Amino acid sequence: MGKLVVLTVLGASLALIGERLLAFRERINATRELEPVELQNCHLIEGLENGSEDIDILPSGLAFISNGLKYPGMPDLAPDASGKIYLMDLNEQNPRAQALKISDGFDEKFFNPHGISTFIDKDHTVYLYVVNHPHMKSTVEIFKFEEQQRSLIHLKTIKHELLQSVNDIVVLGPEQFYATRDHYFTTYFLALLEMILDLHWTHVIFYSPKEVKVVAKGFNSANGITASLDHKYIYVADVTDKNIHILEKHDNWDLTQLKVIQLGTLVDNLTVDPDNGDILAGCHPNAMKLLNYNPEDPPGSEVLRIQNVLSDQPRVSTIYANNGSVLQGTSVASVYHGKILIGTVFHKALYCVL
Ligand SMILES: [Ca+2]
Ligand SMILES: [Ca+2]
């Protein structure tokens, strides 16, 4: 009798795991092949060969690019290189990417930059906030940008027990930001299991020196985050649920969900077009190819534009899709008056004139 119970429980567990694995393969588009959509007037950016996970462009046209991310489960084409922040001036005829110097006293050896966000203070000082994973932990680094010297002065490292497995941030005030947590568990195996079991245990944090709190929860894997141009709404990508959550921001920094836009592709970072408020989404068309990296059959790249975000019928269009022959594992796209930068988790970066 005892053996029969054991066998029954074992059989039921295996069936459940099998069902969850099949559902997981479906969720990450494991069998999806991509229809190409080309952009004209593009070239790969020289010097950016090992990732450009996030890109944030200032109203002046200076673009910050985070490079060299090391992230569990993702390919790494330059395992010995530490991370860097690159700058490009999109006003130039032929913009070049230049690594920014970082002030003494900051440990660059373990710099592992992930999501970034710029903040311009009332006195026009530009700050760059960077999600960092030194030793695979999560911190937020605050830098002051020195435009003349093309350098970053490190001001502060923010750590907090709620700032774990941080993916991206959007800064909306001096030391006031929202951050996404992409996994509940911090070890790779449990984090993978969490995604397979579809637990929805991740969330969005609000951070300020006075108060830190969870402001939105129930995401499978909260990833990119940004704000509408008027800062009244917050947009959050749930990468494995393949959608974007539109949330309303309140005076006390709480968020309430307005709606969810389903996209059918694994959405990574989000940016907003300064000309019209459209969302640009860097997406992974087939995440199985990303988790199971094979250079002969690489992960592709997809960029979506979402127009009329707040209306009843947002319009979604694909502005770039490539099977990995040019660009692999796109995580972000950012536009600046007719120019676009497309970045990747671990691969190259593309610059195009639209
Ligand atoms: Ca970002
Ligand atoms: Ca991301």
Side-chain angles (χ1 to χ4, degrees):
M1 187 63 193
K3 282 181 181 155
L4 192 61
V5 171
V6 169
L7 269 182
T8 308
V9 170
L10 194 65
S13 307
L14 286 176
L16 179 72
I17 291 169
E19 183 267 327
R20 289 288 165 142
L21 270 176
L22 278 178
F24 178 65
R25 281 178 58 84
E26 189 76 20
R27 270 207 317 286
I28 64 169
N29 289 350
T31 54
R32 182 177 172 210
E33 294 298 331
L34 198 59
E35 284 294 313
V37 176
E38 304 283 345
L39 274 171
Q40 304 300 313
N41 309 312
C42 294
H43 66 257
L44 292 166
I45 301 166
E46 209 183 306
L48 282 176
E49 312 278 331
N50 64 319
S52 33
E53 207 274 343
D54 204 8
I55 300 173
D56 199 341
I57 307 177
L58 291 174
S60 66
L62 291 177
F64 294 91
I65 303 166
S66 70
N67 156 264
L69 174 66
K70 297 183 188 333
Y71 188 90
M74 289 294 120
D76 183 0
L77 302 182
D80 297 328
S82 54
K84 290 185 169 54
I85 301 293
Y86 279 82
L87 186 79
M88 274 178 93
D89 184 350
L90 299 186
N91 301 296
E92 290 173 4
Q93 191 67 33
N94 296 302
R96 291 181 160 272
Q98 177 187 8
L100 290 174
K101 289 188 296 254
I102 297 182
S103 60
D104 293 344
F106 178 72
D107 196 349
E108 283 187 77
K109 193 161 164 250
F110 299 105
F111 192 30
N112 188 7
H114 196 173
I116 59 174
S117 177
T118 54
F119 175 70
I120 306 174
D121 213 344
K122 288 196 183 80
D123 66 0
H124 308 295
T125 308
V126 173
Y127 296 92
L128 182 71
Y129 286 58
V130 181
V131 175
N132 186 16
H133 301 298
H135 310 287
M136 294 301 157
K137 303 245 181 309
S138 285
T139 61
V140 173
E141 312 293 346
I142 307 179
F143 297 98
K144 184 173 149 201
F145 174 54
E146 299 272 340
E147 187 172 343
Q148 293 302 319
Q149 289 83 2
R150 290 285 196 265
S151 66
L152 294 170
I153 312 290
H154 184 250
L155 300 180
K156 192 170 181 176
T157 298
I158 294 176
K159 293 180 195 170
H160 190 278
E161 57 184 0
L162 284 179
L163 293 171
Q164 308 273 352
S165 299
V166 181
N167 192 295
D168 194 15
I169 47 171
V170 59
V171 185
L172 297 175
E175 285 195 51
Q176 291 165 310
F177 59 81
Y178 293 107
T180 53
R181 175 173 188 157
D182 61 12
H183 292 100
Y184 176 81
F185 292 109
T186 49
T187 56
Y188 177 62
F189 173 73
L190 287 176
L192 192 63
L193 196 65
E194 170 190 346
M195 280 208 292
I196 291 169
L197 294 177
D198 201 12
L199 294 181
H200 288 85
W201 284 359
T202 76
H203 44 240
V204 177
I205 303 289
F206 167 68
Y207 178 92
S208 73
K210 285 192 187 137
E211 186 184 25
V212 187
K213 58 184 176 181
V214 174
V215 285
K217 50 189 177 184
F219 300 90
N220 195 337
S221 184
N223 196 307
I225 186 165
T226 192
S228 60
L229 292 177
D230 60 10
H231 290 185
K232 287 183 179 167
Y233 302 94
I234 300 297
Y235 308 145
V236 179
D238 188 330
V239 58
T240 36
D241 267 359
K242 298 185 279 193
N243 59 33
I244 298 176
H245 292 238
I246 311 297
L247 305 135
E248 189 175 354
K249 173 175 155 281
H250 300 286
D251 291 342
N252 64 357
W253 298 91
D254 281 352
L255 299 175
T256 47
Q257 184 166 297
L258 286 185
K259 63 173 170 177
V260 176
I261 304 173
Q262 292 296 339
L263 294 173
T265 182
L266 290 98
V267 199
D268 201 318
N269 294 337
L270 307 173
T271 64
V272 169
D273 186 332
D275 288 338
N276 47 38
D278 294 352
I279 297 177
L280 277 292
C283 305
H284 306 288
N286 175 337
M288 186 58 100
K289 292 189 184 183
L290 198 61
L291 291 168
N292 218 346
Y293 184 66
N294 171 7
E296 303 298 316
D297 182 22
S301 288
E302 195 172 26
V303 176
L304 304 183
R305 179 185 283 274
I306 300 110
Q307 294 168 285
N308 310 323
V309 174
L310 298 169
S311 75
D312 287 340
Q313 290 195 311
R315 186 166 173 269
V316 181
S317 50
T318 305
I319 59 173
Y320 179 73
N322 175 265
N323 63 6
S325 60
V326 177
L327 212 57
Q328 304 177 5
T330 281
S331 50
V332 64
S334 195
V335 290
Y336 176 75
H337 307 314
K339 292 155 185 172
I340 187 167
L341 291 173
I342 307 177
T344 63
V345 177
F346 64 93
H347 195 241
K348 301 173 183 179
L350 199 65
Y351 168 81
C352 311
V353 179
L354 295 170

